[in-house]
Amino acid sequence: MPSEIGSIVEGKITKITNFGAFVQLADGSQGLIHISQIANQFVKDISEHLKINDVVKVKVLAMNEKGCFDLSLKDAQDDPESSKKKIDLFEEKLARFLKSSDERLSDLRRNMEAKRGGGGRIKY
């Protein structure tokens, strides 16, 4: 059964380089886990995370022009805490942005009001 893009499949690490790890998938096809797709944190040395002959679950991202699959180890891992943290972080950033935006808009309105002469009221 050929691997489909977006599916999670098992494979065996066959070769490790300084830019990624090559994987033999269960259907016989080859793929590459780029160093940026190994873990959520910075990876300096791939051999600290993977070894040759390790069996790993990977997500199929795409097929490149050479007919090999681009794979992701970090996207295949089930970590609901990680996704919850990402959502919480996004909501926190959004709340900070909204507060900052409201403050800037308030300052802008105050400045525009001052330039108009205090609201456009004319005193005689």
Side-chain angles (χ1 to χ4, degrees):
M1 168 180 115
S3 301
E4 294 182 22
I5 294 174
S7 63
I8 295 179
V9 295
E10 273 195 2
K12 186 177 181 181
I13 305 294
T14 58
K15 182 179 178 183
I16 294 177
T17 65
N18 59 350
F19 58 86
F22 288 91
V23 180
Q24 178 79 34
L25 301 178
D27 65 1
S29 57
Q30 286 282 332
L32 170 71
I33 306 171
H34 188 265
I35 190 168
S36 65
Q37 294 296 324
I38 291 178
N40 287 322
Q41 67 273 12
F42 177 75
V43 176
K44 185 174 182 176
D45 184 13
I46 295 171
S47 60
E48 292 176 1
H49 297 270
L50 298 171
K51 305 282 185 245
I52 293 179
N53 293 326
D54 281 354
V55 176
V56 293
K57 285 189 178 183
V58 293
K59 182 174 183 177
V60 180
L61 300 177
M63 180 179 274
N64 65 23
E65 62 278 350
K66 295 178 183 175
C68 292
F69 289 104
D70 294 330
L71 307 171
S72 174
L73 186 62
K74 67 181 182 180
D75 289 349
Q77 297 171 347
D78 294 331
D79 189 4
E81 278 299 312
S82 173
S83 61
K84 182 173 176 8
K85 287 178 185 176
K86 287 179 185 177
I87 290 170
D88 290 344
L89 182 61
F90 172 75
E91 288 178 352
E92 180 183 322
K93 285 182 179 181
L94 182 60
R96 277 186 280 157
F97 169 77
L98 288 173
K99 182 179 177 186
S100 172
S101 179
D102 285 342
E103 289 171 356
R104 290 179 184 181
L105 189 56
S106 175
D107 288 343
L108 180 62
R109 286 184 181 144
R110 205 173 308 120
N111 288 337
M112 292 298 292
E113 195 69 28
K115 288 180 181 179
R116 289 184 185 157
R121 297 182 187 174
I122 300 173
K123 296 185 180 181
Y124 294 103

